[in-house]
Structures are given as C-alpha cells and as structure tokens.
Amino acid sequence: MYEKKILLSLFLLFFLTNCKSPEPSAETKIYTPGKKAKNIILMIGDGMGLAQITAAMYTNKNRIALEQFPYIGFHKQHSYNDLITDSAAGATAFACGVKTYNNAIGVSPDTVAVESILEEAKLQGKATGVVVTSIIVHATPASFYAHQPLRVFYEDIALDLMDEEVDFVVGGGKAYFNQRKNDNRNLYFELTEKGYQTYSFDEKTMNGITINPSQNFIYFTSNYQPPEIESGRNYLPYASLLGADFLSKHSEEGFFLLVEGSQIDWRGHSNEGKRMIKETLDFNNAIKRVLDFASRRDDTLVIVTADHETGGMAIQPGSKMRKIETAFTTNNHTGTLVPVFAFGPSAELFAGIYDNTEIYKKMREAYGFDDAVAKNIDNTAK
C-alpha cells in the first residue's frame, strides 16, 4: 500500500509539472473586456438550433468553427404575442430591438417603423452589407433595411432597399426588381443609375468580377429563391468574406454586415435531416471565412446565432460519427432557447440568457453608439 501511494504521488508530480495549459491558437485573439467594435458581422443560421449544430459537427470529423468562439449565450426567441416566433419577428428583434408580431418587417406591434442597427450604422458613417442564400427581400434580411406590415410584400420591400441603399448585397430575387407586377419600374436598371455595380447570375459568375470597393455592389444569384447547396449553390462562404473585405475598404468608419444561411430552415420545414446538415456545413464554411477575417484584426465583432430552431430535430440512437440519424417533432418552428456565439471586441456582452431584443442593444453597446441617438423612424409602414 505504501509503495502504491509513493507511485501515485510521483505520477501526480510528473503530471502537474509537465502538463501545461494549452496556449491560445493562432486564430484566437485575447480582447480587453469593454473594447468597442469598429465592425460587426452578424451571422444568422435560420432555423439552426443545438441539434443542427451538433449533427453538423459530428458529420464533419467532430469539428466545427463555432468551437473557436470564446463567449456563448442563449436568447429567448418568442415574438410579441406568440411563444414561437417566425423569421420576420425574430429578425426584427435582432435588427430593431423590439418584440413584434409574426410576419412584421421592421415595425412595432402597432406597425410603426423602427430604426434598425443597419440603418443607424449607416447614419454613423459605416458601410452596410447583406449576404443571404434566400431572396434578398426575404424576412430576415428585409427586417434590417425595410419597414412593412407583412413579410410577403416583396415588391414593396424591394423599394425599401432602393431607399436604404445598402452598400453590398448578394442574394436571390432579381425578379422582384425587374419583373414587377405592382408597377412598371425596372429597379435593376435603376440600381445601375444610382451608381451600383450591378450584376446577375445569368450574366457573370461572382468570382469573375473585379469589384471597385468605392462603388456600391449588388449581385443577384437567382430570379427567385437560390438553389440549395445540394443542387450546386456555392457562393455563401465566398460572398461572406468578399463582403467583409469590400465593406472594410468602403468606409473608414467601419461596417455592419448581415450574413444568413437561409436554407437550414427550409430543410427543417421539410424534415430532411441530411440536407439540413449540408446547409449547416455550408454556413459553417462561411463562419470559418469570416472568423479568419476577424482573427487577423482586432476591431471586428462576429456574432453567430439563429432566429429560431426549425423542426424540433433530434439525433437518434444508432447514430455514428459521419452517419447521423435524425428525427423531427414538427415541420414548423419550435420555441426552444437559441444559442449565441461571439468572437472579438465586446464579445463578453453576449454571454448569459436574455431576450432576442437584447442582441440589438448589445450590438449598439459594442459599437459605442450614444443612447441619445433617435431610434425610431417617424413614419408609419406602408
């Protein structure tokens, strides 16, 4: 017994003196708490809950980019009058800091337009951008630049985009600009007249374009909804990094960039686990590109979250690494808490559990925006 104690003591001494805490990886920067962010990149995996993240990780050699984020929180996703939010109300909470009814775009419950973080960033001289795998007039991106009582008013939302003049835009929905039913305007042509570098999927591939960072840029990836990743869509990681690089050169005051992996949600609605994992991994590749951009700087806050979880997905018994068996409880959204991951200056603000509206407030605090700045737009949504 005495000899065993001696051996155990020697082993513990060897272990403690030879095993050091791992050094931070080359990709990780240590930030001073309270440091303000010049740039914010908000990345939304629509419908992406913990099960979707876990399934993607186990399919991807047990690794995922979100493991590099030092701060993690959870947000309460419910809307103004429903325990289960839709993307419009969820995105409006992020964008504008208000709980509103499902289907509302950038308006309060009484349909009054509320200024978004993107609009305020622009007023502060920052460049703004939107990169999505849906139509650019879809609920999530629209909530950051538009103000409409219903999310399906796509042509009216397109007009709001014209008024807001977001600096960098990539996504589908060209038909809502040049094949309009409500009027005879050709907004695609009008964008060019406004000074945009205007391109479309049927004219030139995105990676074949030489972009002038001093001039606004828009690229339509489809006439209506873009194809899914399984059908050949591949632009999200490239466009996310391109957007960050473009916006960093577009304004010396910094930027706000929204990136959405839109179609994770769609595969949840259709209860297609394997295709949902592929969409989540595509979003993961975009996160890796953005994280690489931010890790080479000390001024860029990256936030990754979802507006809600879709499908009530579970990883089933019998699952193995790289071979995940999934099941679903619904073909709709669920009311579970949603994770929030943060990296960069002021990332510590995003730890804890809070309402989804707090993400807007935390982004304003991270920027150092003055609370005295007017937040409401003095007009009623159309």
Side-chain angles (χ1 to χ4, degrees), residues 338-355:
V338 177
V340 184
F341 303 82
F343 175 97
S346 291
E348 71 278 0
L349 296 174
F350 294 85
I353 298 176
Y354 39 82
D355 269 320

Side-chain angles (χ1 to χ4, degrees), residues 75-91:
H75 75 73
K76 306 172 188 179
Q77 53 72 50
H78 66 87
S79 59
Y80 174 71
N81 56 356
D82 198 320
L83 193 61
I84 298 174
T85 191
D86 79 332
S87 293

Side-chain angles (χ1 to χ4, degrees), residues 71-108:
Y71 293 95
I72 303 172
F74 289 89
H75 75 73
K76 306 172 188 179
Q77 53 72 50
H78 66 87
S79 59
Y80 174 71
N81 56 356
D82 198 320
L83 193 61
I84 298 174
T85 191
D86 79 332
S87 293
T92 296
F94 296 159
C96 306
V98 296
K99 294 276 190 182
T100 192
Y101 59 91
N102 288 351
N103 293 303
I105 298 291
V107 297
S108 63

